[in-house]
Amino acid sequence: MPSCPAACHRSPGRRRSGRRLRITEADSLDPRASNPLSSVLRLRPHLRVLVFDSGVYRMPAKRQRPRRKSASKSKVYDMALIQRGARLRRSPFFDSTLKAGCKSYTVYNHTFLPSYYDDPVTEYWHLLKHVALWDVAVERNVEIRGPDGFDFMQLLTPRDMEKCRVGQGKYVLITDDAGGILNDPVLLRLEENRFWIALADSDILLWAKGVARGSGLDVTISEPDASPLQVQGPKSKALMADLFGEKVTALPYYFFTPTELDGIPVLVTRTGWTAEVGYELYLLDASRGEDLWNAVMKAGKPYNIRPTGPSDIRRIEAGILNYGADMTMEENPYEVDLGRLVDLDKSSDFIGRAALQRIKDEG
Amino acid sequence: MPSCPAACHRSPGRRRSGRRLRITEADSLDPRASNPLSSVLRLRPHLRVLVFDSGVYRMPAKRQRPRRKSASKSKVYDMALIQRGARLRRSPFFDSTLKAGCKSYTVYNHTFLPSYYDDPVTEYWHLLKHVALWDVAVERNVEIRGPDGFDFMQLLTPRDMEKCRVGQGKYVLITDDAGGILNDPVLLRLEENRFWIALADSDILLWAKGVARGSGLDVTISEPDASPLQVQGPKSKALMADLFGEKVTALPYYFFTPTELDGIPVLVTRTGWTAEVGYELYLLDASRGEDLWNAVMKAGKPYNIRPTGPSDIRRIEAGILNYGADMTMEENPYEVDLGRLVDLDKSSDFIGRAALQRIKDEG
């Protein structure tokens, strides 16, 4: 098992091993504990991971051995138990994921998120050795634009947008007045006064619209036609070169560029959720989802590409947090070791500044 | 099959048969169409309903017969395809629903919503003849309180809160500045300046917090410890009398009262999502979910109580809309025949007033 790479996805050059993860309890009240256990992985000396059919969980510190029940016992926490309906949205890649044999979905931002096609350990190793394709269009984007777009984005996040060039992205937090974390999107600065934020699972569109109306700033908040697709793994760079040429593979970490593929408009970012080398293709025309999926799959054949879900094993190993599980509105950035995303010295005011200053001062 | 009752749930004294419902497309691209079809119900001359394993859908007007495929064909839209994890919340009744044999869940307000325990036709008839118990704690409440609580609630909804007494509830819309519908909660007025709104599937907590910060009003927005449980059907009134006495059964439609059951604090409302006689019990102590569930189930035995999911057949028959399917931010109240929930003449301003006035004037 490889060790955690020195540069993890959302924090280049820093290791996150000290971060607290909250999804550690597989206690007796938890139906996960009644699920057949596939395997236990030892990723680092103090990090063992339990792999259940229902997901991957960090081993509780107190327990040496996970609870194990007979596989013949009926599963009370079975994936067969969730229903889909017309209320929930489908991504532009949804039909492709079905055809590709996706075995499980969850719901994220009111939209179906493919969870896996194969067991998590197989997908983990595939990601580490080859290249994986994930539908993450559930990260529904919010667009902020208008004459005061820059000022509004400064208000919305504790990071300093002065340090984000046009063409560059940033991992940011959205905080409320108490300093609580409302979301942790990846932000792209498209123009001086135009930003996209690719959301974790909460309706920041509503928050931003609500904040905007009383802010006195001239800004428009909307949901753009942008659907991210992740291409991750050591062979992703060669695949990107084949698809888009050197312009894309020369992108520095967290930069992006608009381009196209067989007439399909896309925006390619050097980002991901794996701490592996990887890219995200933001599809800019929702009607072309199947075309983009097929083009990437075809070009990826020589690199052994396969569709997978997000790798919880890899992201836990890398210390990448999952909004709703590892952090919520109840936590502030310092509590989850994300203080580096708070620029208390930035010149513009931002929501949560006074609370976060107080929290930091008080330790 | 009984006809639609004169007084449907969310619109006493009015029939909603003219309302447009958008969840009508079971077209060839829709994976629902590949699902085995259980039955077709003719509820009214122009209302036929398709019952699939994956849900209940109104028959498209254009098609005389639904597409039917061999039941032996593998289901691509199978309920086995959705995964649950630590990111998603469980209601205080979740363990009870599992024990009671709930066969399917969906996700609503980041929380698991039990969909059904038996086939939808069986549950429909049970609701119409006996009494049904539903976990709808997914309708996560937002509390608005403070010196300006009344003024803020007036700002948030096009209904006139002058017409809502303390102890009374209202079905309301939350609209944005363009008049688009952000949510359609049931509101309870707890005190002069204190309201709860039981949400449909969108994060109005964030919207309200965002609006509040620039509003100049002194108000606090939070999520109270309140978890609704629906008790619906013709025998619900007798059951309520046994549980809580005559005080509760004397409640007029859309009124509520605080009470308790074996020391469990609850708030009982004369509301529901069925157009049947029914009540909602708002559990006020999340740690007592199993106790409340068991107490109601025990007292309900003589009335043939059973746990069910929300009856899509019954709510479509009654013309009750489902947020996210029948209406979204893209629709205004007039487009979905909910103009009666907009009081353009109310004395206070509200969000969306100018847009809705214009839309109404232009027809």
Side-chain angles (χ1 to χ4, degrees):
Chain A
M1 192 71 69
S3 65
C4 177
C8 95
H9 161 60
R10 288 189 152 168
S11 173
R14 266 195 71 186
R15 297 173 72 107
R16 310 242 66 75
S17 57
R19 180 172 298 166
R20 274 183 285 162
L21 293 168
R22 296 199 322 161
I23 57 163
T24 57
E25 296 76 22
D27 60 42
S28 59
L29 294 173
D30 187 332
R32 290 192 303 251
S34 309
N35 246 9
L37 183 73
S38 301
S39 54
V40 181
L41 304 180
R42 184 169 179 161
L43 298 174
R44 290 202 298 276
H46 300 294
L47 181 57
R48 272 182 246 191
V49 166
L50 314 182
V51 182
F52 294 98
D53 276 7
S54 60
V56 179
Y57 305 95
R58 189 173 177 174
M59 171 88 89
K62 293 177 205 154
R63 195 180 299 156
Q64 293 307 306
R65 283 161 183 268
R67 190 175 305 258
R68 184 187 280 269
K69 289 201 180 180
S70 162
S72 65
K73 192 167 183 296
S74 74
K75 290 189 275 183
V76 293
Y77 204 74
D78 197 300
M79 272 151 248
L81 295 173
I82 295 197
Q83 187 185 14
R84 294 181 280 162
R87 177 177 46 83
L88 300 171
R89 291 170 49 145
R90 295 177 222 169
S91 101
F93 313 112
F94 181 77
D95 289 346
S96 297
T97 64
L98 272 177
K99 284 182 195 161
C102 181
K103 291 210 183 83
S104 171
Y105 294 83
T106 183
V107 177
Y108 198 98
N109 281 328
H110 314 283
T111 310
F112 298 115
L113 169 65
S115 293
Y116 60 79
Y117 302 73
D118 205 331
D119 76 87
V121 176
T122 301
E123 295 200 345
Y124 170 86
W125 284 111
H126 196 89
L127 169 66
L128 261 62
K129 290 178 177 171
H130 307 287
V131 56
L133 183 66
W134 307 351
D135 170 10
V136 286
V138 295
E139 291 177 357
R140 289 167 58 179
N141 276 260
V142 166
E143 175 171 288
I144 289 148
R145 66 183 155 86
D148 297 324
F150 174 80
D151 291 338
F152 187 75
M153 198 64 240
Q154 284 283 59
L155 177 65
L156 219 55
T157 178
R159 284 202 89 163
D160 190 353
M161 292 300 104
E162 295 279 9
K163 297 175 183 166
C164 182
R165 290 154 44 188
V166 172
Q168 189 176 4
K170 291 280 180 190
Y171 174 50
V172 302
L173 299 178
I174 309 292
T175 45
D176 66 11
D177 286 284
I181 301 169
L182 303 182
N183 206 286
D184 67 327
V186 168
L187 167 152
L188 304 180
R189 187 170 187 180
L190 299 160
E191 300 169 12
E192 287 297 315
N193 282 300
R194 185 162 165 245
F195 299 83
W196 282 356
I197 51 176
L199 297 181
D201 187 19
S202 74
D203 296 339
I204 292 301
L205 180 67
L206 298 184
W207 168 250
K209 278 163 62 96
V211 168
R213 68 184 309 281
S215 68
L217 296 172
D218 186 356
V219 70
T220 302
I221 318 284
S222 61
E223 188 173 89
D225 182 357
S227 306
L229 185 65
Q230 296 207 7
V231 181
Q232 304 277 309
K235 296 177 183 170
S236 62
K237 194 164 188 171
L239 171 56
M240 287 296 106
D242 289 358
L243 283 168
F244 301 104
E246 292 303 319
K247 182 178 74 165
V248 160
T249 52
L251 278 174
Y253 194 54
Y254 262 87
F255 279 74
F256 65 90
T257 188
T259 182
E260 59 92 29
L261 184 65
D262 303 337
I264 309 165
V266 293
L267 188 149
V268 179
T269 67
R270 176 60 191 86
T271 56
W273 208 63
T274 63
E276 297 295 320
V277 175
Y279 298 84
E280 285 177 274
L281 313 184
Y282 283 52
L283 170 66
L284 304 182
D285 176 354
S287 72
R288 306 295 300 277
E290 194 163 3
D291 297 339
L292 180 62
W293 180 279
N294 290 341
V296 176
M297 283 299 289
K298 188 176 170 190
K301 258 189 187 162
Y303 305 105
N304 198 17
I305 195 171
R306 68 185 288 174
T308 69
S311 175
D312 265 323
I313 307 175
R314 185 68 193 96
R315 71 102 187 157
I316 290 173
E317 184 184 53
I320 298 171
L321 302 189
N322 189 12
Y323 190 75
D326 307 320
M327 56 183 158
T328 71
M329 200 183 305
E330 304 302 315
E331 277 79 42
N332 67 62
Y334 301 111
E335 287 174 302
V336 294
D337 196 22
L338 289 178
R340 69 188 168 88
L341 303 181
V342 179
D343 289 325
L344 287 170
D345 296 329
K346 83 183 203 185
S347 56
S348 315
D349 199 17
F350 62 89
I351 299 170
R353 178 175 214 148
L356 291 169
Q357 182 73 62
R358 194 172 54 247
I359 291 162
K360 193 180 183 196
D361 292 346
E362 290 172 0
Chain B
M1 192 73 68
S3 65
C4 177
C8 94
H9 160 62
R10 289 189 152 169
S11 173
R14 269 193 69 184
R15 296 174 72 105
R16 310 244 65 76
S17 56
R19 179 172 299 166
R20 275 184 285 163
L21 292 169
R22 298 199 319 161
I23 57 161
T24 57
E25 295 77 20
D27 61 43
S28 59
L29 293 175
D30 188 333
R32 290 191 303 250
S34 309
N35 246 9
L37 183 73
S38 301
S39 54
V40 180
L41 303 180
R42 183 170 180 160
L43 297 175
R44 289 201 299 276
H46 300 293
L47 181 56
R48 274 183 243 191
V49 166
L50 314 182
V51 181
F52 294 98
D53 275 7
S54 59
V56 180
Y57 304 95
R58 190 172 178 175
M59 171 89 87
K62 294 176 206 157
R63 196 180 300 157
Q64 293 307 307
R65 287 164 180 268
R67 193 174 301 257
R68 185 184 280 270
K69 291 201 178 179
S70 162
S72 65
K73 192 168 182 294
S74 74
K75 292 188 274 184
V76 292
Y77 205 75
D78 195 302
M79 272 151 248
L81 296 173
I82 296 197
Q83 187 185 17
R84 294 181 279 161
R87 178 178 46 84
L88 300 170
R89 289 168 52 143
R90 294 178 223 168
S91 101
F93 313 112
F94 181 78
D95 289 346
S96 298
T97 65
L98 271 178
K99 284 181 195 160
C102 180
K103 292 209 182 83
S104 170
Y105 294 83
T106 182
V107 176
Y108 199 98
N109 281 328
H110 314 283
T111 309
F112 298 115
L113 169 64
S115 293
Y116 61 77
Y117 301 74
D118 206 330
D119 76 87
V121 176
T122 301
E123 294 199 347
Y124 170 87
W125 284 111
H126 196 88
L127 169 66
L128 261 63
K129 291 178 177 170
H130 307 288
V131 58
L133 183 66
W134 308 350
D135 170 10
V136 287
V138 295
E139 291 178 357
R140 289 165 59 178
N141 276 261
V142 166
E143 175 172 285
I144 289 148
R145 66 183 158 84
D148 298 324
F150 174 81
D151 292 337
F152 187 74
M153 198 65 240
Q154 284 285 58
L155 176 66
L156 219 55
T157 179
R159 286 203 89 163
D160 191 353
M161 292 300 102
E162 295 279 9
K163 296 173 184 167
C164 183
R165 289 155 45 191
V166 172
Q168 190 176 4
K170 292 281 180 190
Y171 174 49
V172 302
L173 299 178
I174 308 293
T175 45
D176 65 11
D177 287 282
I181 302 169
L182 302 183
N183 207 286
D184 68 325
V186 168
L187 167 151
L188 303 180
R189 187 170 187 181
L190 299 159
E191 299 169 13
E192 287 298 316
N193 282 300
R194 184 163 167 243
F195 299 83
W196 282 355
I197 50 176
L199 297 181
D201 186 20
S202 73
D203 296 338
I204 293 301
L205 180 68
L206 298 185
W207 168 250
K209 279 164 62 96
V211 169
R213 67 185 310 280
S215 68
L217 296 172
D218 186 357
V219 69
T220 302
I221 318 283
S222 60
E223 187 172 271
D225 183 357
S227 306
L229 185 65
Q230 296 208 7
V231 181
Q232 304 278 309
K235 297 177 183 170
S236 63
K237 195 164 186 170
L239 171 56
M240 286 297 107
D242 288 358
L243 283 168
F244 302 104
E246 292 304 317
K247 181 178 76 165
V248 160
T249 54
L251 277 174
Y253 194 52
Y254 262 87
F255 279 73
F256 65 91
T257 188
T259 181
E260 60 93 28
L261 184 65
D262 304 337
I264 309 166
V266 293
L267 187 149
V268 179
T269 68
R270 176 60 190 87
T271 55
W273 208 63
T274 63
E276 298 295 323
V277 176
Y279 299 84
E280 286 177 274
L281 313 185
Y282 284 52
L283 171 66
L284 304 182
D285 176 352
S287 72
R288 306 294 301 275
E290 192 163 5
D291 297 338
L292 180 62
W293 179 279
N294 290 341
V296 175
M297 284 298 291
K298 188 177 172 190
K301 261 194 183 156
Y303 305 105
N304 198 17
I305 195 171
R306 68 185 287 175
T308 69
S311 175
D312 266 323
I313 307 176
R314 185 69 192 95
R315 71 103 188 158
I316 290 173
E317 184 185 52
I320 299 171
L321 303 189
N322 189 12
Y323 189 75
D326 307 322
M327 56 183 158
T328 70
M329 200 183 305
E330 304 302 314
E331 278 78 41
N332 67 62
Y334 300 111
E335 288 175 300
V336 294
D337 196 22
L338 290 178
R340 71 188 168 86
L341 303 182
V342 179
D343 291 324
L344 287 170
D345 297 329
K346 83 182 204 187
S347 56
S348 315
D349 198 18
F350 61 88
I351 298 170
R353 178 175 215 149
L356 291 168
Q357 183 72 62
R358 194 172 55 244
I359 291 163
K360 195 183 183 194
D361 292 346
E362 291 171 359

